[in-house]
């Protein structure tokens, strides 16, 4: 067990100014009410490592009801098994949790919410700050910045890991990964995002990977977003592949990637993740629909090809393969409708890119999902799934001022043109 190490502000270098206004209001409010209040988790870790924190979490010895008393209507209790408190200041929500001991099971395992009342009550036992530190996953995530003296309190050896830029589990790997298999994914994600060396002891054990198949699909969706919708997405993906962590989550796709046609399929996924990362780095909007479209495409495409070999026409084959893949997939990783609908549209529009005659081109270009579907076609061309010439044709077509756009009025819609089969300039210029 680690000895407590306390580090003075001038030594650790984190300042009040590094902490968001809302988090400071929560920390100061609790302290002024006589409670111990600490910044904890990812924010302390990120500040020590020189990254900008994504969110600020607070841990305190005030019990949930007491937190509500301090912040009144700004505070809202959430969670059933573990009551935590959301305190809202302006647009920012600060998660405040009471120090608690972990009786040895995972904190967000939905299946256990159904357990009898006795267990639920026992799980809500509050604990000391030292116990609170030890229930956390990685040592660098178990550091507390106490707002009263601004010292960092380290009960788990997290500071030496920060210094060594190392990601180490608190406790024994097999025990901690069995308690909550999502920690295996967090290990890869945190190491990749923060450029840390994953401690050999924390490497996901091959025989435990399949435990991920039992994690509730809704929680898995949140995790997958955090994995891939990030500028470090490509490094995270490489790490997940390296340890085989994607097999229980994207089983159908992984079966294709492991087959002889796998390389091109994988290149498409990697390019989609890299595109998203580049867009995020530039502050451009991104949608999970695109990443999911790429992640499931190999399974959809192969499924459709098989149905076509059995004699089904292409359009129904694609539709049927989509439904099968999506319904199997959502048992592992749920995909909310607001993303699954555009994802399916991206797929459904793909065959229409091959129809360059008649009214299809102008109709397709005015489809609300045209841009995403076109970007997807571009990826397919980059990995050799379709001819680059096809993409080029659509590139010219959509930029052509004579091509009807959604806003170009009823006259444009009614225009009926035939031809343009061979020459894009002739067809685009002939109206
Ligand atoms: P991120 O930068 O993605 O927010 P984070 O470490 O802050 O990373 P959160 O999900 O915000 O991740 O969790 C906040 C803190 O809660 C963590 O730093 C860690 O101390 C603790 N924690 C989160 N998930 C787990 C888990 N599965 N097991 C144990 N502790 C966890
Ligand atoms: Mg966090």
């Amino acid at each position: 067990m680690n000895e407590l190490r306390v580090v003075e502000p001038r030594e650790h270098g984190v300042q009040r100014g590094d902490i968001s206004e809302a988090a400071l209001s929560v920390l100061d409010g609790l302290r002024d009410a006589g409670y111990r209040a600490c910044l904890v988790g990812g924010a302390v870790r990120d500040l020590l490592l020189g990254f900008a924190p994504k969110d600020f979490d607070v841990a305190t010895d005030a019990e949930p009801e007491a937190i509500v008393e301090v912040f009144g209507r700004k505070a809202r209790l959430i969670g059933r098994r573990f009551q935590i408190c959301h305190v809202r200041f302006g647009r920012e929500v600060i998660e405040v949790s009471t120090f608690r001991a972990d009786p040895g099971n995972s904190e967000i395992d939905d299946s256990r919410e159904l357990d009898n009342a006795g267990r639920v009550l026992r799980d809500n036992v509050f604990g000391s700050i030292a116990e609170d530190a030890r229930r956390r996953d990685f040592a660098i995530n178990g550091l507390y910045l106490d707002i009263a003296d601004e010292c960092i309190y380290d009960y788990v050896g997290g500071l030496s890991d920060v210094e060594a830029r190392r990601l180490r589990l608190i406790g024994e790997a097999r025990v901690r990964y069995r308690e909550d298999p999502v920690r295996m994914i967090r290990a890869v994600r945190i190491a990749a995002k923060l450029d840390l060396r994953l401690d050999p002891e924390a490497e996901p054990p091959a025989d435990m990977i399949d435990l991920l198949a039992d994690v509730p699909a809704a929680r898995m969706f949140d995790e997958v977003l955090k994995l891939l919708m990030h500028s470090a997405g490509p490094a995270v993906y490489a790490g997940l592949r390296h340890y085989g962590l994607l097999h229980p989550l994207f089983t159908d796709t992984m079966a294709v990637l492991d087959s002889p046609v796998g390389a091109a399929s994988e290149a498409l996924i990697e390019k989609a993740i890299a595109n998203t990362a580049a867009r995020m780095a530039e502050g451009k909007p991104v949608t999970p629909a695109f990443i999911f479209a790429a992640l499931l495409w190999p399974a959809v495409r192969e499924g459709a090809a098989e149905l076509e070999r059995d004699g089904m026409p292409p359009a129904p084959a694609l539709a049927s393969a989509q439904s099968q893949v999506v319904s199997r997939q959502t048992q592992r990783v749920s995909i909310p409708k607001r993303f699954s609908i555009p994802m399916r549209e991206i797929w459904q529009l793909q065959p229409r890119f091959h129809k360059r005659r008649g009214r299809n081109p102008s109709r397709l270009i005015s489809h609300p999902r045209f841009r995403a579907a076109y970007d997807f076609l571009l990826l397919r061309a980059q990995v050799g799934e379709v001819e680059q010439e096809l993409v080029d044709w659509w590139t010219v077509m959509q930029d052509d001022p004579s091509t009807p756009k959604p806003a170009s009025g009823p006259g444009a819609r009614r225009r009926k043109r035939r031809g343009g089969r061979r020459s894009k300039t002739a067809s685009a210029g002939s109206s």
Side-chain angles (χ1 to χ4, degrees), residues 95-170:
E95 198 167 292
V96 186
S97 50
T98 308
F99 297 144
R100 67 168 190 265
D102 193 351
N105 46 24
S106 77
E107 55 184 322
I108 329 174
D109 183 346
D110 292 357
S111 61
R112 295 189 191 180
E113 283 184 359
L114 301 174
D115 281 3
N116 61 50
R119 173 177 289 231
V120 172
L121 282 173
R122 213 170 55 235
D123 282 357
N124 232 340
V125 160
F126 301 117
S128 66
I129 182 171
E131 287 171 314
D132 194 68
R134 281 194 291 271
R135 76 171 171 85
R136 292 174 185 274
D137 45 5
F138 301 99
I140 57 168
N141 284 347
L143 297 170
Y144 295 73
L145 189 147
D146 191 325
I147 206 62
D149 56 12
E150 292 176 38
C151 289
I152 287 181
Y153 289 74
D154 178 9
Y155 296 87
V156 290
L159 284 165
S160 58
D161 285 3
V162 165
E163 284 148 18
R165 299 191 82 89
R166 166 178 67 200
L167 188 61
R168 200 173 43 89
L169 276 164
I170 298 171

Side-chain angles (χ1 to χ4, degrees), residues 184-206:
M184 294 188 279
I185 286 182
R186 286 176 57 85
V188 170
R189 173 167 69 88
I190 295 171
K193 280 188 183 176
L194 303 175
D195 200 16
L196 302 172
R197 193 172 51 78
L198 185 60
D199 178 38
E201 299 257 310
E203 292 191 24

Side-chain angles (χ1 to χ4, degrees), residues 166-373:
R166 166 178 67 200
L167 188 61
R168 200 173 43 89
L169 276 164
I170 298 171
E172 214 257 297
R174 296 190 69 84
V175 175
R176 300 312 309 279
Y177 285 154
R178 188 172 302 282
E179 281 170 10
D180 182 4
V182 168
R183 289 173 184 152
M184 294 188 279
I185 286 182
R186 286 176 57 85
V188 170
R189 173 167 69 88
I190 295 171
K193 280 188 183 176
L194 303 175
D195 200 16
L196 302 172
R197 193 172 51 78
L198 185 60
D199 178 38
E201 299 257 310
E203 292 191 24
D207 64 332
M208 299 189 84
I209 306 281
D210 278 342
L211 295 176
L212 281 167
D214 301 326
V215 176
R219 182 178 177 207
M220 236 29 267
F221 171 75
D222 294 337
E223 292 298 329
V224 169
L225 281 197
K226 286 199 243 171
L227 291 171
L228 302 177
M229 304 294 286
H230 190 275
S231 55
V236 174
Y237 179 82
L240 294 172
R241 273 296 265 161
H242 177 74
Y243 292 110
L245 289 163
L246 290 170
H247 279 83
L249 304 182
F250 295 95
T251 310
D252 289 354
T253 293
M254 292 304 132
V256 178
L257 297 199
D258 292 338
S259 78
V261 296
S265 303
E266 179 132 48
L268 180 126
I269 293 172
E270 287 171 342
K271 281 181 190 301
I273 294 168
N275 277 4
T276 298
R279 289 180 66 92
M280 294 195 78
E282 290 168 37
K284 290 185 185 165
V286 291
T287 168
F290 195 77
I291 291 254
F292 276 99
L295 271 170
L296 303 186
W297 177 247
V300 170
R301 192 197 56 218
E302 292 306 306
E306 201 176 314
L307 293 171
E308 280 187 55
R309 280 196 295 274
D310 294 346
M312 199 185 274
L318 183 65
S320 162
Q322 281 185 28
S323 300
Q324 277 177 22
V325 169
V326 172
S327 78
R328 268 204 303 271
Q329 181 61 44
T330 46
Q331 290 165 19
R332 292 290 165 83
V333 181
S334 70
I335 309 174
K337 284 243 158 35
R338 66 183 187 284
F339 302 128
S340 68
I341 291 170
M343 171 183 80
R344 298 175 76 128
E345 284 174 333
I346 289 172
W347 293 334
Q348 256 144 11
L349 294 183
Q350 294 307 307
R352 287 182 55 186
F353 283 106
H354 295 281
K355 298 186 183 138
R356 302 192 223 178
R357 286 195 283 167
R359 288 199 295 186
N360 180 61
S362 57
R363 283 198 182 147
L364 187 50
I365 287 170
S366 32
H367 191 286
R369 207 63 62 198
F370 171 78
R371 187 69 216 189

Side-chain angles (χ1 to χ4, degrees), residues 378-389:
L378 208 77
L379 285 187
R380 295 177 62 214
Q382 284 173 1
V383 302
E385 238 182 65
V386 295
E387 296 290 329
Q388 181 62 36
E389 183 270 334

